[in-house]
Amino acid sequence: GQQLNQSPQSMFIQEGEDVSMNCTSSSIFNTWLWYKQDPGEGPVLLIALYKAGELTSNGRLTAQFGITRKDSFLNISASIPSDVGIYFCAGTGTYKYIFGTGTRLKVLA
Amino acid sequence: DVKVTQSSRYLVKRTGEKVFLECVQDMDHENMFWYRQDPGLGLRLIYFSYDVKMKEKGDIPEGYSVSREKKERFSLILESASTNQTSMYLCASCQRSYNEQFFGPGTRLTVL
């Protein structure tokens, strides 16, 4: 099935650093979602975006719905060790969710 | 707090066994989904349901069937389990408007 392009694939950062990742699509979406998944667990919804240009925050997380409706960005500020995990995006237009390939984040204390 | 629950976190079955995976959501969502997640392949949609007794095939329905007799419950059935069905199975649900989709904790199935 189709997957969204997500970058970077993985990143190692120092505790306290800011993190940015993005997701791009060839299709237009009406909704962008960002999830975090810990090993052996189900994905947990972090942020939902519904409007082109929308910027939404959830604590240290900020996500944006791209103006073209074909991309989205997630920023994590002042990373902490518990931010480690896999982050992935999802977009939906009508009846199906398309998922990103995931960004594996490792935080070095 | 919204919740999607799955009947088992870990299952070990033998080849040829019939396997039932149960999913329950308490959010009164119309849509429910079954995915499998494998390293390097991401999340792949097996089946989804948009109403009671309704079901639609996803991208990889072969070897699976589903049942939705009640709005809150969506079951995935492996009629005759095979080793290539060893995977992490994730249930999810969302409203009819397809906005936020919530996942369950997953079932790690191993078929020997």
Side-chain angles (χ1 to χ4, degrees):
Chain A
Q2 181 188 356
Q3 282 188 304
L4 303 176
N5 294 317
Q6 193 170 339
S7 64
Q9 278 190 316
S10 63
M11 51 195 317
F12 288 81
I13 59 168
Q14 290 289 134
E15 184 177 359
E17 287 185 352
D18 297 343
V19 174
S20 291
M21 59 191 80
N22 70 72
C23 212
T24 59
S25 167
S26 57
S27 306
I28 289 173
F29 289 130
N30 295 330
T31 300
W32 280 96
L33 307 171
W34 283 93
Y35 292 90
K36 178 176 185 264
Q37 187 174 23
D38 293 326
E41 302 289 331
V44 174
L45 182 64
L46 300 173
I47 291 180
L49 302 156
Y50 301 108
K51 191 176 169 184
E54 178 183 355
L55 190 71
T56 297
S57 293
N58 178 7
R60 294 179 295 105
L61 278 60
T62 301
Q64 184 163 24
F65 193 138
I67 285 291
T68 64
R69 295 170 62 194
K70 291 184 177 183
D71 57 6
S72 181
F73 305 87
L74 176 69
N75 296 311
I76 304 172
S77 63
S79 58
I80 59 178
S82 61
D83 289 335
V84 67
I86 299 176
Y87 293 80
F88 60 90
C89 59
T92 182
T94 51
Y95 67 95
K96 194 173 179 180
Y97 291 88
I98 310 297
F99 294 91
T101 49
T103 294
R104 185 179 297 273
L105 179 64
K106 297 191 178 181
V107 180
L108 306 173
Chain B
D1 200 16
V2 297
K3 209 146 196 180
V4 179
T5 57
Q6 295 183 228
S7 51
S8 304
R9 294 299 308 275
Y10 301 94
L11 271 180
V12 180
K13 296 291 182 181
R14 298 216 172 266
T15 301
E17 279 192 81
K18 191 168 186 175
V19 182
F20 293 88
L21 303 182
E22 302 282 337
C23 175
V24 177
Q25 50 94 4
D26 66 359
M27 297 166 279
D28 201 34
H29 284 169
E30 289 81 12
N31 300 314
M32 296 188 74
F33 308 80
W34 275 106
Y35 297 91
R36 63 177 284 177
Q37 187 178 34
D38 301 287
L41 297 176
L43 279 158
R44 292 182 291 168
L45 181 64
I46 304 171
Y47 266 97
F48 68 100
S49 168
Y50 54 88
D51 205 345
V52 175
K53 297 194 185 295
M54 306 307 290
K55 60 185 179 185
E56 293 286 342
K57 292 180 180 179
D59 299 319
I60 52 163
E62 296 78 20
Y64 304 94
S65 62
V66 290
S67 172
R68 190 152 180 217
E69 296 298 316
K70 293 185 177 182
K71 188 176 185 180
E72 68 272 17
R73 189 179 298 268
F74 191 35
S75 302
L76 179 70
I77 303 143
L78 287 67
E79 295 289 341
S80 177
S82 63
T83 55
N84 63 12
Q85 292 178 310
T86 291
S87 185
M88 173 71 137
Y89 289 87
L90 291 161
C91 176
S93 72
C94 72
Q95 292 177 327
R96 193 178 301 285
S97 55
Y98 270 82
N99 43 21
E100 299 166 343
Q101 184 182 54
F102 296 93
F103 283 87
T107 296
R108 171 71 65 184
L109 173 67
T110 301
V111 182
L112 302 175

